[in-house]
Amino acid sequence: MVYAAVELIRRPQPQPPADEDSSDAPPPALTEASVTVDIKKFGRFLSVRGVCPTKVIAHLVDDKALVLSAYAVGDTNLVFYVPSLLQR
Amino acid sequence: MKFKAAVRDPKTLSSVCHSQKMISKKAIIKLHPSRIRFISTTNSVTDGTQVWSSCRTEQLFGDHVIESKNDNSIYVEIVDLGQLLQALKCAEHGSNVTMKLAKVDTRQLMKLSMQTLLERHDVSLDVPVRVLTELEANNIVAPWMFL
C-alpha cells in the first residue's frame, strides 16, 4: 500500500539466490487469492457513499488483507485497509 | 507554522471526515499546499483497520496559506472527529467559512469561522487539535501488504 490510492499492486519480484544460475522464468502467477475479514470492519467501508465514489477497486492480498480504494470527483480518493482475521 | 484557508467544499470535507470517523474517533490531517491527506488507524493488535484519504487542496480550500518549516506540511491530530463534523455541519449552512490553526494559551485549535445565512451573525467554533512533531510525522507509515 502506498500513500496515495491503490490502482495496481505489483508483487515484488523474488531475488534469485546468488549461488545459482539466474533464470529468466517469471515467478508463478497467483491465480487465486482469498482473505477472510470481519464483516463489521468491512461494513465501515460503506460510509464512503457520502463522497459519491465514481470507481471502487477491491484488492485481495492473499491471506493478508482486503484493500478497498474508492475514487470520487475532484481527485478525491479513500483507501480502506482491512487486515485478515487469520494471517499465516 | 501557519494555516488559514477559506473552506470551499465543506460537504466533501465532511464526507471524508465521516468515513475516517468510522475507523477511529481521532484522525491525522496532513495539510499541504497541493494535497490534504487524512489518516485514521486503529490498534494494530486488536483491529488493524486503517483508512487513508486524500483530496486536492484546491478542491477543499480557497485562498489558503499553508506554511511550515517541514516542506510546508502541517500534521494535525483531530482529537475528536465528532466535534469537527459538528462544526462542518454548521459550515454547510453558513457563508464565508474559514478555517485557521490557532493557539489559545497552550491549547491548539482549529478555528472555524462563518456567517449565518439568515441574520449574518459571525460564528466561530473551536475544534481541539494537536500539532504533530516532525519526528511523529515521520513515523507515520502506510501498511505494506507484502511483509
Side-chain angles (χ1 to χ4, degrees):
Chain A
M1 186 171 177
V2 293
Y3 209 35
V6 181
E7 276 276 7
L8 176 68
I9 299 170
R10 294 190 187 279
R11 185 166 284 267
Q13 300 294 311
Q15 297 295 317
D19 57 346
E20 288 182 17
D21 290 341
S22 62
S23 165
D24 290 337
L30 190 66
T31 55
E32 193 175 290
S34 66
V35 62
T36 306
V37 297
D38 184 339
I39 193 72
K40 284 182 185 170
K41 292 178 190 174
F42 175 75
R44 295 172 191 165
F45 170 72
L46 302 178
S47 65
V48 298
R49 69 186 184 278
V51 295
C52 303
T54 53
K55 183 169 71 171
V56 174
I57 298 174
H59 294 87
L60 300 189
V61 186
D62 199 30
D63 257 337
K64 292 231 168 65
L66 169 67
V67 181
L68 297 146
S69 299
Y71 300 82
V73 290
D75 201 13
T76 298
N77 57 62
L78 297 93
V79 181
F80 279 70
Y81 176 91
V82 187
S84 69
L85 283 174
L86 300 166
Q87 295 190 2
R88 281 181 194 159
Chain B
M1 186 182 301
K2 195 173 183 182
F3 169 71
K4 188 180 178 182
V7 181
R8 187 176 273 170
D9 188 353
K11 194 170 182 303
T12 298
L13 183 55
S14 183
S15 299
V16 172
C17 288
H18 179 68
S19 291
Q20 302 291 141
K21 189 171 171 275
M22 296 304 287
I23 302 298
S24 173
K25 179 182 152 185
K26 292 181 181 178
I28 293 166
I29 301 181
K30 180 190 175 188
L31 303 161
H32 188 270
S34 62
R35 287 196 82 81
I36 306 295
R37 299 185 188 274
F38 305 79
I39 304 157
S40 291
T41 59
T42 53
N43 184 308
S44 60
V45 177
T46 58
D47 191 318
T49 310
Q50 301 192 20
V51 59
W52 295 59
S53 310
S54 78
C55 302
R56 269 190 302 114
T57 304
E58 289 296 327
Q59 193 200 350
L60 296 181
F61 302 121
D63 298 328
H64 54 80
V65 177
I66 305 173
E67 294 171 356
S68 83
K69 288 178 184 171
N70 183 17
D71 188 31
N72 288 331
S73 297
I74 303 171
Y75 291 79
V76 289
E77 183 186 59
I78 306 294
V79 180
D80 183 356
L81 275 171
Q83 287 188 29
L84 179 61
L85 281 167
Q86 272 195 332
L88 288 170
K89 198 174 177 183
C90 294
E92 285 181 40
H93 303 289
S95 64
N96 298 328
V97 184
T98 59
M99 231 171 150
K100 185 182 176 183
L101 189 60
K103 198 170 183 181
V104 177
D105 299 326
T106 55
R107 293 191 310 144
Q108 293 171 318
L109 303 166
M110 192 63 82
K111 192 177 274 289
L112 267 89
S113 303
M114 66 203 81
Q115 280 186 332
T116 57
L117 282 179
L118 289 178
E119 297 166 2
R120 296 276 166 200
H121 288 157
D122 289 327
V123 177
S124 189
L125 300 163
D126 292 341
V127 178
V129 298
R130 186 177 71 86
V131 178
L132 269 60
T133 62
E134 198 171 333
L135 183 65
E136 285 177 304
N138 290 339
N139 285 334
I140 299 170
V141 182
W144 178 244
M145 290 175 289
F146 297 107
L147 291 176

